[in-house]
């Protein structure tokens, strides 16, 4: 009997990857959202976490859900319902 294959761990995209996937840069995202580039840099670096109002603006600009954005920031979203 063959053992079951191990499930591969699915990596969650980082904020940097979400920005790249949206075809933009941190500077362009800053200009589009009105959020200072230095602030975005601190989120990308994992030094700070955005307030909810800023997270909504960034999620809209990147075309992702708040859950996806939260996961990209390393926040634990287990127990949250999936976006529909």
């Amino acid at each position: 009997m063959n053992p079951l294959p191990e499930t591969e761990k699915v990596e969650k995209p980082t904020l940097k990857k979400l920005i790249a996937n949206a075809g933009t840069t941190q500077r362009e995202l800053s200009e589009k959202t009105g959020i200072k580039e230095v602030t975005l840099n601190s989120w990308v670096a994992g030094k700070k976490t955005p307030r909810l109002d800023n997270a909504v603006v960034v999620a809209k600009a990147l075309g992702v859900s708040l859950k996806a954005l939260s996961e990209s920031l390393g926040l634990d979203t287990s127990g949250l319902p999936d976006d529909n």
Side-chain angles (χ1 to χ4, degrees), residues 8-65:
E8 293 183 28
K9 184 178 178 182
V10 177
E11 270 190 54
K12 304 288 183 192
T14 61
L15 178 54
K16 185 175 184 174
K17 186 149 195 121
L18 289 181
I19 293 169
N21 288 348
T24 192
T25 65
Q26 290 178 44
R27 176 164 288 151
E28 292 167 340
L29 183 60
S30 171
E31 292 168 359
K32 185 175 183 177
T33 61
I35 298 169
K36 292 182 182 181
E37 190 175 357
V38 67
T39 301
L40 290 171
N41 292 341
S42 70
W43 300 342
V44 169
K47 294 179 181 177
K48 293 188 178 187
T49 304
R51 295 185 327 235
L52 182 57
D53 59 333
N54 286 333
V56 169
V57 170
V58 170
K60 284 181 182 178
L62 296 178
V64 300
S65 68

